[in-house]
Amino acid sequence: MGAAALVRNQLERWTFHRATNAGLEQQPGESTAEYVARVWTAEDHFHPEWFSTEGLSDPLAEPEGEVREPSIDHKHVVISNGSEICPALLYELLSEVMHGRALLEAVSWDSNGMLQSEEWPDGMSVAVGVIVDAITLCLRELRAAVASLAERTGRDAAVEALRRSLDTFSEASRESESHEEAPNVQPAAPQVATPPLLTLMPLLPNEGLNPEVRQSVARLGAVYSAVMSGQRPAGRLFRDDELTTYAFAWHRARSIRAANAALDTEKRILGDQFNIDSLTGRATRWVLLTESVSLLGRWHQRPEASAAATLIGTALRSAYWLWLEDDDRAMSVLRCVLEQASRLRTWRIKPAKAAVLESRVETTPRDWLEAAGWKRLAALNRALGELAHTKSTSRWTGARELLAKFQMDVEDDKAIYTARGASIDFVAQLVAQELCAEMEEISPTISEKLCEVFLHVDLEPRQQAQTVEEQLDHIWNHRGVDLGISDFVKLPELWPQSTATSSALQPS
């Protein structure tokens, strides 16, 4: 789920980049799919005004109805290997995945099948393909923008290099296959990158931040640095999959250093209240809660409730993981968790109302919140929704500040540093409360034992019920808070040339 949220965010961001540069806006009555298709059908245009807070349309609306290509005449993006990508279809699919209405087989595998070492279902391959295609589009747009700037400044060699860039891995050369394998990298198929497990560990004290792990990742990253300085650490050119692995490790090493620096800053700010061991305790809660709700998804007999619980299992894990990365997009995923928790609860307490909401293509997360009896969370949903999108009018600072206000009994000058983590913990409490109630209907014995386990990790719903009610009232009291002005402002003109169609990436 984290991958879907990240790439949808990027696809939205680069769609608006194209629209801004081409002077396109979504027209009244035009569906999101039609708008995305029109934007990506237009020729590449680039000009110096990267962001303007005036004259742009509202953020992309969530797709409505069946996922399919728009009926209007539109073009697909043809990538270097000759295959075609439909950006509109991708955007619709990613949005439907995040709302628990598409690629459910893949979501289920990620939620619990993976934990039981089950083989990939066919749907997982489709989901990975969707993610890869979306990343391909974003990288293509990035290359086009860089090539346009290079062309304007007379950097012909850079333009030619970008023009020859491939969207997929190239074939391994004879030179790379005739020499020994790359250092510290497992042999892999030339079309697949397989980073070592240690580069994929969450940034927790005993895992990704473990000193031995840090050193190992740093060594891998150093190989990439050597290549970038013109060296050949293996005595030959690396295959694409090998270089990708080293590049990934280099970025992970930077993330590890950033995480350690953030912990040092937090320690300085919080003083005696800082406790690194609390991260490990939180991780224990995450594992218990996400795996328990994933089991509920497997056991529940109602398909819609099963889908909701399954998505919560993978999305809550992703939200915590991205929070460890200090990534605001954790809040985008948390919004999915909140919506699905509301959906799950509504099916339990108001099944007739839930059936109506399921049948309506225009149903929103707010509708599920109100049906679940959580209308008081409207302000939380608004803040999370603001952080879920990238647009010219984004008010991320205001959203973060609003999340900080939701905390109770936290000093004002420290609240901003704990706001996102506190938001995740609160939504986790709601999930735990609903999980025990759902399990009670399946097996009172399992529900009782589950609540006992939650008690030991500060997730016991019955103990927290009054606290949750107080938190709901506290959040409701902030429903009228203004999020302020946009974080983006119009930049001064950086490039004096007039707006023009870029041919930088067109074959010569």
Side-chain angles (χ1 to χ4, degrees):
M1 185 51 57
L6 293 181
V7 297
R8 193 190 75 156
N9 180 282
Q10 286 296 308
L11 183 58
E12 182 180 70
R13 185 258 178 271
W14 286 107
T15 297
F16 273 101
H17 180 270
R18 289 185 64 87
T20 301
N21 282 280
L24 300 175
E25 296 182 19
Q26 190 167 4
Q27 301 301 313
E30 184 178 36
S31 71
T32 298
E34 291 172 343
Y35 175 57
V36 173
R38 185 162 59 90
V39 169
W40 284 89
T41 296
E43 294 184 34
D44 294 332
H45 288 267
F46 300 99
H47 58 66
E49 297 177 356
W50 301 110
F51 277 102
S52 171
T53 57
E54 301 176 359
L56 291 185
S57 55
D58 291 331
L60 296 179
E62 298 292 350
E64 297 179 354
E66 182 183 354
V67 177
R68 61 182 183 276
E69 287 201 33
S71 58
I72 64 170
D73 185 28
H74 66 286
K75 296 179 181 178
H76 291 175
V77 175
V78 181
I79 62 176
S80 60
N81 66 3
S83 60
E84 299 182 3
I85 300 175
C86 179
L89 184 61
L90 281 184
Y91 188 83
E92 286 199 314
L93 268 173
L94 290 168
S95 296
E96 289 299 285
V97 167
M98 294 176 66
H99 289 294
R101 297 189 293 256
L103 301 180
L104 297 179
E105 187 181 34
V107 173
S108 178
W109 183 87
D110 192 61
S111 181
N112 50 50
M114 175 178 61
L115 302 177
Q116 301 188 42
S117 300
E118 294 179 0
E119 293 185 0
W120 267 30
D122 292 339
M124 192 65 193
S125 298
V126 176
V128 170
V130 170
I131 300 295
V132 171
D133 282 351
I135 293 173
T136 299
L137 287 179
C138 295
L139 291 177
R140 176 193 179 278
E141 188 70 4
L142 177 60
R143 285 205 315 275
V146 173
S148 179
L149 295 179
E151 187 178 52
R152 289 166 185 255
T153 54
R155 300 179 182 181
D156 296 337
V159 173
E160 183 61 26
L162 288 164
R163 179 182 292 150
R164 289 187 281 107
S165 296
L166 300 177
D167 294 304
T168 58
F169 283 170
S170 60
E171 293 296 327
S173 67
R174 292 183 179 179
E175 179 187 5
S176 68
E177 292 183 339
S178 61
H179 287 67
E180 64 184 50
E181 285 295 327
N184 303 313
V185 174
Q186 294 295 321
Q191 295 296 314
V192 179
T194 54
L197 181 61
L198 57 88
T199 64
L200 302 172
M201 290 182 175
L203 299 182
L204 290 165
N206 296 327
E207 296 178 58
L209 299 182
N210 177 283
E212 293 183 2
V213 172
R214 285 159 44 191
Q215 292 173 8
S216 297
V217 175
R219 283 195 296 269
L220 288 171
V223 176
Y224 179 73
S225 297
V227 173
M228 292 297 99
S229 66
Q231 302 177 41
R232 293 191 179 187
R236 62 170 174 83
L237 296 175
F238 287 132
R239 297 191 312 263
D240 288 353
D241 62 295
E242 294 170 336
L243 188 60
T244 299
T245 297
Y246 289 126
F248 182 75
W250 182 83
H251 284 286
R252 293 306 295 159
R254 285 171 56 90
S255 295
I256 290 171
R257 291 196 296 272
N260 280 321
L263 287 174
D264 290 340
T265 299
E266 188 173 339
K267 182 177 182 180
R268 184 174 65 254
I269 293 172
L270 298 180
D272 294 338
Q273 297 178 19
F274 177 78
N275 180 13
I276 187 107
D277 293 332
S278 66
L279 280 177
T280 302
R282 266 179 164 170
T284 300
R285 291 197 292 272
W286 308 342
V287 172
L288 286 171
L289 184 56
T290 57
E291 294 191 11
S292 296
V293 75
S294 294
L295 281 176
L296 174 64
R298 175 161 286 196
W299 293 344
H300 211 296
Q301 296 300 306
R302 179 174 283 124
E304 298 86 354
S306 173
T310 297
L311 192 142
I312 292 171
T314 177
L316 189 56
R317 186 173 66 233
S318 293
Y320 273 122
W321 196 299
L322 288 169
W323 173 75
L324 289 172
E325 301 281 341
D326 196 22
D327 194 324
D328 272 346
R329 290 171 295 189
M331 301 297 96
S332 175
V333 183
L334 187 63
R335 190 188 188 210
C336 298
V337 177
L338 183 60
E339 177 188 8
Q340 297 306 313
S342 304
R343 182 187 180 193
L344 183 64
R345 177 178 169 85
T346 303
W347 271 110
R348 180 175 62 84
I349 65 175
K350 301 176 183 176
K353 177 66 174 179
V356 172
L357 291 179
E358 291 284 358
S359 66
R360 292 172 48 202
V361 297
E362 65 271 19
T363 295
T364 65
R366 184 179 63 184
D367 294 329
W368 285 115
L369 280 173
E370 293 182 358
W374 288 341
K375 181 179 180 179
R376 286 172 288 175
L377 294 179
L380 174 61
N381 183 56
R382 181 162 64 102
L384 297 180
E386 192 71 27
L387 292 167
H389 294 284
T390 302
K391 55 186 183 293
S392 64
T393 55
S394 289
R395 297 173 294 176
W396 294 335
T397 298
R400 294 190 200 100
E401 291 173 349
L402 182 55
L403 291 179
K405 295 179 185 296
F406 293 155
Q407 299 173 93
M408 302 170 64
D409 303 323
V410 177
E411 298 176 30
D412 290 343
D413 60 335
K414 297 177 180 178
I416 195 67
Y417 299 102
T418 56
R420 292 174 301 179
S423 298
I424 297 177
D425 287 343
F426 172 66
V427 175
Q429 292 282 358
L430 296 179
V431 171
Q433 191 176 61
E434 182 58 28
L435 175 60
C436 284
E438 293 280 352
M439 282 295 191
E440 179 71 26
E441 297 184 2
I442 295 175
S443 170
T445 301
I446 292 179
S447 177
E448 180 182 357
K449 296 300 180 183
L450 188 61
C451 288
E452 290 178 5
V453 172
F454 284 170
L455 176 63
H456 291 293
V457 295
D458 296 326
L459 270 177
E460 210 286 312
R462 293 160 194 162
Q463 271 196 342
Q464 302 290 343
Q466 184 59 40
T467 303
V468 167
E469 283 298 312
E470 293 173 355
Q471 185 71 58
L472 290 171
D473 288 338
H474 182 69
I475 292 174
W476 178 248
N477 290 336
H478 291 84
R479 62 190 180 279
V481 173
D482 188 350
L483 296 183
I485 63 174
S486 168
D487 284 80
F488 295 108
V489 296
K490 185 176 179 179
L491 292 174
E493 186 168 309
L494 302 178
W495 308 97
Q497 292 86 345
S498 60
T499 301
T501 298
S502 171
S503 60
L505 289 188
Q506 301 304 317
S508 56

